[in-house]
């Protein structure tokens, strides 16, 4: 059952169609309130030591690559961060300072066929939780938490489906992609993303051909200026929200790191990329209603066009005692500034303050309530 927790007289996102749709969908479903909270300041950045190229051998003989960053304390809570798409283990390094500030360790594994991890042409979402379990045992962990970001969302929910709760102590989805079933939100994705999905569905060979003749040669060119110019031109032409452009300018986007991430993603060629994209289009192999883990946390920007808010809402309705947090003024990219807040929240008891209904928090800046 959908329930909005504490309806304030006003919130910063009022008038935002995505948020209004959430509230409207709540009507007649035990609506009581939406509460507002002040945003935390964005995380600081800075260099900290990290292990970028770690590997282990899985029970099937395959190699699993991963990175480790954050706290060096042996007692620090561990969070497995499941990277987006297209990405790799190096994505986790972007939160290293926030992880150190919060006092957690972040382990980010490469998925099969990406980075240092062995390609597996037969893998599914439900194969992945065993990789996390083996990686946890490799590090001697009896307890851990999992966050899936963007394309890592389905893998995180697969972990919620299969990993035992005596080990899995927190599960989160940060702007995660949802099932592509009708009514789950894909119709609200960017037009370019919908076109990409259609090409991938009907002509995957064409997509591979384009990659291998355009992006890949630029990535492999020893002159990094070639790929830098390509990415800069793409960013200039991209149809970004103004808040996204301001955020990217403020954060001084690190193109060198983006290049490293993409080179690692395509390190073994295009097979891993194609496998990932096909998995997102297919049924996941499990129903969200059958996920036993209670208290999954979800964080979404109301203006997200990559993984629309509707995806988060619809998945939250189907999960047991889910907690959905909406950033009223944010997009797929700008939610990253709340990473420190998110790392703190995933450490909380997922069953604390549990109700029989979905809990939604709309997070925006306070302003004076209108007079009635």
């Amino acid at each position: 059952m959908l329930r909005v927790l504490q309806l304030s007289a006003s919130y910063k996102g009022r008038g935002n169609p995505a948020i209004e749709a959430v509230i409207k969908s709540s009507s007649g479903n035990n609506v009581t309130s939406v509460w507002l909270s002040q945003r935390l300041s964005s995380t600081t950045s800075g260099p900290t030591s990290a292990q970028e190229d770690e590997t282990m051998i899985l029970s099937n003989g395959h190699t699993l690559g991963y990175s480790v960053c954050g706290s060096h304390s042996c007692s620090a809570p561990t969070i497995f961060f499941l990277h987006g798409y297209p990405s790799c283990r190096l994505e986790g390094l972007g939160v290293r300072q926030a992880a150190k500030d919060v006092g957690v360790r972040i382990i980010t594994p490469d998925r099969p066929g990406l980075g240092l991890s062995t390609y597996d042409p037969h893998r599914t979402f439900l194969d992945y939780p065993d990789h996390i379990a083996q990686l946890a045992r490799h590090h001697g962990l009896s307890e851990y938490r999992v966050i899936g970001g963007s394309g890592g969302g389905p893998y995180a929910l697969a972990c919620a489906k299969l990993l035992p709760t005596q080990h899995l102590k927190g599960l989160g989805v940060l702007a995660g992609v949802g099932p592509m079933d009708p009514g789950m939100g894909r119709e609200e994705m960017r037009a370019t993303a919908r076109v990409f999905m259609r090409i991938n569905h009907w002509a995957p060979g064409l997509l591979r051909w384009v990659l291998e003749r355009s992006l890949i040669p630029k990535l492999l060119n020893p002159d990094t200026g070639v790929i830098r110019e390509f990415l800069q031109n793409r960013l200039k032409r991209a149809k970004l929200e103004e808040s996204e452009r301001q955020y990217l300018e403020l954060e001084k986007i690190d193109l060198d790191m983006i290049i490293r991430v993409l080179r690692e993603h395509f390190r073994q060629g295009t097979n891993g990329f194609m496998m990932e994209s096909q998995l997102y289009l297919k049924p996941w192999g499990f129903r969200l209603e059958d996920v036993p883990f209670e208290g999954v946390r979800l964080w979404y920007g109301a203006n997200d066009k990559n993984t629309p808010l509707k995806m988060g809402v619809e998945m939250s309705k189907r999960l047991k005692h889910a907690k959905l947090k909406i950033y009223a003024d944010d997009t797929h990219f700008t939610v990253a500034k709340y990473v420190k807040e998110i790392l703190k929240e995933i450490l909380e008891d997922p069953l604390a303050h549990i109700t029989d209904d979905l809990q939604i928090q709309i997070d925006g800046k306070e302003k004076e309530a209108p007079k009635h």
Side-chain angles (χ1 to χ4, degrees):
M1 185 179 293
L2 177 63
R3 185 175 81 160
V4 182
L5 285 181
Q6 193 179 11
L7 185 56
S8 172
S10 174
Y11 65 88
K12 183 68 166 66
R14 183 164 294 283
N16 183 308
I19 291 183
E20 296 302 324
V22 173
I23 295 176
K24 183 177 180 181
S25 70
S26 306
S27 60
N29 285 316
N30 193 22
V31 180
T32 56
S33 60
V34 175
W35 93 69
L36 287 155
S37 64
Q38 191 66 31
R39 289 180 178 153
L40 298 180
S41 60
S42 60
T43 60
T44 57
S45 61
T48 75
S49 58
Q51 300 159 263
E52 299 182 3
D53 303 317
E54 300 299 302
T55 59
M56 65 164 288
I57 303 301
L58 297 170
S59 58
N60 63 1
H62 289 183
T63 297
L64 176 65
Y66 62 96
S67 67
V68 184
C69 66
S71 174
H72 297 294
S73 171
C74 295
S75 60
T78 295
I79 299 171
F80 289 106
F81 179 72
L82 311 186
H83 63 74
Y85 169 83
S87 192
C88 68
R89 69 190 182 281
L90 300 181
E91 183 181 331
L93 304 181
V95 301
R96 58 189 181 273
Q97 186 60 51
K100 188 174 182 181
D101 292 344
V102 176
V104 298
R105 177 170 55 169
I106 302 292
I107 299 180
T108 306
D110 285 324
R111 291 194 282 275
L114 309 178
L116 300 173
S117 292
T118 305
Y119 175 64
D120 181 354
H122 306 295
R123 71 180 175 94
T124 68
F125 289 130
L126 290 174
D127 294 325
Y128 199 67
D130 184 57
H131 294 189
I132 299 301
Q134 291 190 53
L135 185 53
R137 289 195 294 271
H138 180 71
H139 283 271
L141 301 173
S142 60
E143 295 183 358
Y144 48 83
R145 291 150 179 89
V146 172
I147 296 177
S150 190
Y155 295 93
L157 290 169
C159 290
K161 175 72 171 73
L162 294 181
L163 293 178
T165 54
Q166 65 261 38
H167 301 308
L168 183 63
K169 296 302 180 182
L171 195 292
V173 175
L174 173 58
V177 65
M180 293 300 156
D181 302 330
M184 290 295 288
R186 69 177 181 181
E187 66 280 0
E188 297 183 11
M189 297 173 74
R190 293 184 195 274
T192 51
R194 297 197 304 272
V195 170
F196 170 85
M197 288 192 298
R198 290 193 185 101
I199 295 174
N200 193 21
H201 178 72
W202 295 107
L206 174 61
L207 177 60
R208 187 191 295 269
W209 184 87
V210 170
L211 282 171
E212 293 179 347
R213 283 158 181 77
S214 61
L215 178 62
I216 304 302
K218 294 179 178 65
L219 277 174
L220 297 180
N221 193 312
D223 178 6
T224 57
V226 174
I227 186 62
R228 284 182 65 86
E229 182 180 2
F230 174 79
L231 293 175
Q232 286 170 338
N233 289 335
R234 289 295 300 272
L235 283 171
K236 288 177 182 177
R237 296 198 305 268
K239 295 181 179 179
L240 300 177
E241 300 283 343
E242 183 58 29
S243 60
E244 290 178 314
R245 291 197 180 278
Q246 291 176 358
Y247 176 70
L248 292 177
E249 290 175 7
L250 179 66
E251 295 296 316
K252 294 181 172 41
I253 184 169
D254 187 350
L255 277 180
D256 290 331
M257 177 53 78
I258 291 177
I259 292 169
R260 287 187 64 202
V261 167
L262 288 174
R263 280 180 167 174
E264 277 299 301
H265 180 88
F266 291 103
R267 181 187 185 112
Q268 302 176 49
T270 57
N271 284 339
F273 175 91
M274 296 301 298
M275 170 62 77
E276 287 265 287
S277 61
Q278 289 293 317
L279 283 176
Y280 295 130
L281 297 177
K282 297 177 181 178
W284 288 6
F286 63 98
R287 297 170 66 247
L288 294 173
E289 293 87 344
D290 297 332
V291 170
F293 188 91
E294 299 182 50
V296 172
R297 293 181 178 275
L298 302 97
W299 304 273
Y300 280 78
N303 299 321
D304 193 332
K305 301 301 182 185
N306 290 57
T307 53
L309 173 59
K310 187 174 181 180
M311 286 186 172
V313 172
E314 294 302 322
M315 289 195 291
S316 298
K317 289 178 181 178
R318 292 159 173 76
L319 294 165
K320 296 178 177 66
H321 307 307
K323 299 178 181 180
L324 171 63
K325 188 168 188 177
I326 302 169
Y327 294 103
D329 304 314
D330 287 283
T331 69
H332 193 71
F333 303 109
T334 63
V335 292
K337 61 190 173 188
Y338 305 107
V339 62
K340 191 182 295 187
E341 172 183 336
I342 288 166
L343 293 179
K344 290 178 180 177
E345 289 180 2
I346 199 65
L347 297 179
E348 298 172 5
D349 181 356
L351 297 179
H353 312 297
I354 210 73
T355 72
D356 290 333
D357 309 307
L358 164 65
Q359 298 180 35
I360 297 180
Q361 179 179 351
I362 297 178
D363 187 328
K365 295 178 180 178
E366 300 277 5
K367 72 175 184 180
E368 184 178 351
K371 297 179 180 178
H372 298 284

